[in-house]
Amino acid sequence: MTDRCSWAGPDPLYLAYHDTEWGVPEHDGRALWEKLVLDGFQAGLSWITILRKRDNFRAAFAGFDPAEIATWGEPEVQRLLADPGIIRHRGKIEATITNARAYLEIEARGGFGPFLWRYVDGQPLQPRYATQAEVPPETPLSAQVSKDLKKAGFRFCGPTIVYAFMEACGLVNDHVTTCHCHDRIAAMPGPGL
């Protein structure tokens, strides 16, 4: 039997996500932005709900092309509110449009990836938790990143959402030390600075 982080559960989709994607250092700014948007949609829901709808989100949100989404207005909001394949929450949909505009501004000033990775000096944090109970829901660093994202115009990016995002994108390796992914992920480099 393979040891995994306890949150992964038995669902094959969740297991594949845990084993191949969660915690892998993501360097691409656009991919980071997509994940932050999806983490915002996850607020109040389980991540498996978002995973099951991820392809629908990608289709509904033009492949998460921020340049296109940044031009959207009320007609697109109405279209998305009528789409049963996604989470139909006006605030989260409107935040995605706002966040696309904020992303483009950060991207133009040097890149969204470098903006985020500077918080960890270009290398994933390695806290080495032995149990899931030790993993915090947020940290002072996620609170700072959240504050800075909000200052840059982002919405639906509180400290808990940001910490989940940081874990998922490999800015912090929160695979527990007994998980079969921990050491493999710990050996993966960040983008450096």
Side-chain angles (χ1 to χ4, degrees), residues 30-101:
R30 208 237 22 99
L32 287 162
W33 179 75
E34 174 182 332
K35 181 66 175 74
L36 183 59
V37 168
L38 289 173
D39 271 317
F41 270 98
Q42 186 259 329
L45 304 168
S46 66
W47 181 245
I48 192 65
T49 300
I50 302 303
L51 276 181
R52 289 179 180 140
K53 293 178 177 281
R54 185 160 58 171
D55 288 341
N56 296 338
F57 273 104
R58 287 177 174 155
F61 283 93
F64 284 102
D65 178 352
E68 181 174 338
I69 294 169
T71 67
W72 290 359
E74 188 59 27
E76 291 80 10
V77 171
Q78 289 300 319
R79 173 183 60 81
L80 293 164
L81 286 171
D83 187 336
I86 66 167
I87 307 301
R88 296 178 289 181
H89 183 287
R90 177 178 280 278
K92 294 175 181 181
I93 291 168
E94 290 175 345
T96 301
I97 297 168
T98 300
N99 292 353
R101 295 171 186 149

Side-chain angles (χ1 to χ4, degrees), residues 27 40 57 103 134 148 162 166:
H27 309 149
F57 273 104
Y103 164 85
E134 295 175 53
D148 293 348
V162 168
M166 291 174 67

Side-chain angles (χ1 to χ4, degrees), residues 117-142:
W117 279 96
R118 72 180 168 89
Y119 287 99
V120 294
D121 295 327
Q123 294 299 318
L125 301 177
Q126 304 290 338
R128 300 191 53 82
Y129 296 116
T131 68
Q132 204 65 49
E134 295 175 53
V135 180
E138 63 183 70
T139 64
L141 180 58
S142 73

